[in-house]
Amino acid sequence: MTLFRHLLPIAISSLALTSTAGTPPAGPLFVKEAIIPADADSLTRIDIAARVVPSPGQMAWQELEMTAFLHFGINTFTDREWGEGNENPALFNPVGLDADQWVRTLRDAGFKMVILTAKHHDGFCLWPSATTSHTVAASPWKDGQGDVVRDLREACNKYGMKLGLYLSPWDRNAECYGDSPRYNQMFTNQLTELLSNYGKVDEVWFDGACGEGPNGKKQVYDWATFKKVIRQLQPDAVTAIMGDDVRWVGNENGTGRLTEWSVTPKVPGSLPGAEETNSRLKLDDMAADLGSRQILMKADSLRWWPSEVDVSIRPGWFYHDSEQPKSLRHLVDIYLNSVGRNSVLLLNVPPDRNGRIASADSTRLMELRNWISTNLTDNLVAKREPHSLTASLRPDSKVNCVVLGEDISRGQHVERFTVSALTPDGWRQVARGTTIGYKRILHFPEVEASQLRIDITSQRAPANIATFCAYDTTLPPDADDSRPTPVYPGENIKVMSIDGQTVPVEAMAAAFDNDPSTLWTSPATGKTHEIIVDLGKEVDIDGIIYTPRTDGNPDGTVFKYEFALSNNAKDWNVASRGGEFSNVVNNPIPQRVFLASPAKARYLRFTSRSEVNELPFITIASLQVITANENN
Ligand code: FUL
């Protein structure tokens, strides 16, 4: 199976409005989209880019700053990240499900919108959809009378929280998936149910992951119809990822770009012409540059398509007992590197099997909230004339953080800037950057200062600096948030064979050195690869950890795998048949696979059954054995 972000062809309209703002750029603003005439010279191109502004829906979304994700569903009960679609609905029974607790926790943590996975790739619907029997209605939860979307709606009403819905286009359960017109109809019906029966929906999230249907055919989605349904039923909702209002930042680790343009010629994958334009401009989801002058010179259209940083509070998107939430420092870094980099943070907090947000997670969320309110609310700026680029600080101020923001209702203009502080020794540059956008947070070594000054050294049109605040923050100490898993020492491992060939012991050193920065690449011999290792003695084994490469190049990443154990290297006990490292491309974290119960064995066989893009070789940053007994 090839996993890809779906890209399809676009027609662009542009809507010109007259600016009401007194400051340049005078003349028309282009709401959301603009066309660049083929003969436009470079100055005209830059001028058009400066006039593209967000739609009212995009503006309201950007101002939320922090939104929450709830990944919850059949995977919560099977301990997986992607279900296969054949899970028994009888597994779904969150007896203590408390949507009130979800929303109260998220509200207290400072979130203003919550997005629920109404249907993930496994096709299991958290509402009693009439389109399929694979829903909560077939589960024992509340005797089949439950509706998670309804519970969440009611809790959102109670706490004044906006509601967003994630509906996975990829559906591994639907028998008609891949049979494009039939599935498109089913999906349209699902969308219609969700957008008609649950009040106001503020964000519709369409994931880009997409595989083949049971007939081996690739589904061709009817994005135009899906969008029409959204516009008819929820005209104010923004559409994310495969939608054209909100752009995926390009990773799932919580980091926005240092240079983050909300105005880009990149075409959303759900619009006609996307593939052609994006490949001509070399603009994929992960591209470092999505909107510099260099890119503008080749563009024929532009749109306001701002970045959303989606990341989970835990390593996986769904709740797993074996995982724990990220440390406070990690979450603060995520906040600074997302909200602080002109993006909206979409932080996932997965409810557990009982249907509640785990106390470790809610504690961490409150710590984050406290950190933000303790560190980023006491503004040291005492005086600043509106729009001025100089600010006077309170007497005796010490400062190590500046928060800047452009009035994006008049466009994103700043291309390069510096920040200087008037210290007892005179003016000193303390920070510099490229884009600002809606919000940019900059940290620097603490200085004593009486004034701060921004020097904009490059801009597309005169900048409108709406936010200019200064703080003296204290970052939480660094903390390792990966649960220590006892691992069998790599040096005792001897490789016996690779793909049936006997090899020298050191052949796979890079995979067994417990060092994920070194990468082993297998011979390029085909789809299946089999590695047999001798652990040197009998070990009490709890599972394995496959660590994929994390250098941004997914080549060789294992997708389907099997691992087996033996005491004589002849008779094998298959410990995990037909497993898959779901979502390993977008979220290349160490993949932990646990046995149903620990087993003793001396030999391990790891088989890769497919590579993520069906390449003939595999890569392993690290392959480790988890021991059940710390004395191993
Ligand atoms: C990805 C999905 O495949 C993950 O399971 C998760 O839902 C994440 C938010 O998007 O592409």
Side-chain angles (χ1 to χ4, degrees), residues 5 69 71 75 81-82 117 120-121 166 170 205 207-209 241 248 252 310-311 317-318 346 348 582-583 586-587:
R5 300 244 163 213
F69 228 164
H71 273 66
N75 295 336
E81 281 290 292
W82 285 355
T117 52
H120 203 250
H121 310 329
Y166 168 118
W170 186 25
W205 220 90
D207 199 286
I241 317 308
W248 182 46
E252 294 183 357
D310 60 326
V311 60
W317 289 98
F318 286 86
L346 173 54
N348 179 62
S582 309
N583 203 29
N586 293 325
N587 192 16

Side-chain angles (χ1 to χ4, degrees), residues 419-484:
V419 179
S420 298
L422 183 56
T423 71
D425 303 325
W427 283 100
R428 206 168 109 196
Q429 184 181 312
V430 288
R432 62 193 165 133
T434 51
T435 49
I436 293 180
Y438 174 75
K439 194 174 243 190
R440 183 85 170 83
I441 306 180
L442 299 127
H443 264 97
F444 45 86
E446 186 181 80
V447 288
E448 212 182 302
S450 54
Q451 283 184 52
L452 289 175
R453 190 186 75 219
I454 310 169
D455 289 299
I456 296 171
T457 49
S458 177
Q459 57 190 349
R460 293 180 175 180
N464 300 294
I465 301 296
T467 307
F468 186 0
C469 302
Y471 303 97
D472 192 18
T473 65
T474 309
L475 288 174
D478 269 319
D480 183 7
D481 50 23
S482 53
R483 172 167 294 184

Side-chain angles (χ1 to χ4, degrees), residues 350-431:
D352 64 15
R353 280 187 196 181
N354 195 25
R356 294 177 63 88
I357 290 178
S359 62
D361 298 31
S362 51
T363 305
R364 201 45 52 77
L365 290 175
M366 296 318 145
E367 288 170 4
L368 175 64
R369 170 78 194 257
N370 284 341
W371 186 88
I372 295 170
S373 55
T374 312
N375 288 277
L376 295 175
T377 45
D378 187 19
N379 185 4
L380 298 170
V381 170
K383 196 162 158 274
R384 177 185 166 228
E385 299 304 325
H387 309 297
S388 166
L389 297 181
T390 309
S392 304
L393 302 183
R394 298 205 299 244
D396 304 322
S397 283
K398 288 201 169 89
V399 52
N400 68 3
C401 175
V402 165
V403 180
L404 305 176
E406 290 180 73
D407 173 1
I408 57 168
S409 69
R410 294 191 249 170
Q412 185 182 356
H413 298 168
V414 178
E415 293 177 310
R416 198 171 294 280
F417 67 95
T418 60
V419 179
S420 298
L422 183 56
T423 71
D425 303 325
W427 283 100
R428 206 168 109 196
Q429 184 181 312
V430 288

Side-chain angles (χ1 to χ4, degrees), residues 188-258:
T188 303
N189 294 347
Q190 293 185 337
L191 200 55
T192 305
E193 289 176 357
L194 287 174
L195 302 186
S196 314
N197 301 333
Y198 298 94
K200 191 156 194 293
V201 175
D202 285 290
E203 183 163 341
V204 179
W205 220 90
F206 289 148
D207 199 286
C210 166
E212 295 116 18
N215 54 6
K217 282 202 246 152
K218 199 182 85 184
Q219 173 72 28
V220 180
Y221 298 117
D222 184 357
W223 296 113
T225 299
F226 306 159
K227 201 148 112 196
K228 214 159 84 199
V229 172
I230 299 171
R231 290 291 158 250
Q232 265 165 12
L233 298 173
Q234 299 285 347
D236 298 334
V238 290
T239 58
I241 317 308
M242 294 310 289
D244 62 2
D245 295 305
V246 171
R247 169 170 52 83
W248 182 46
V249 73
N251 66 65
E252 294 183 357
N253 62 28
T255 323
R257 292 171 184 78
L258 276 168

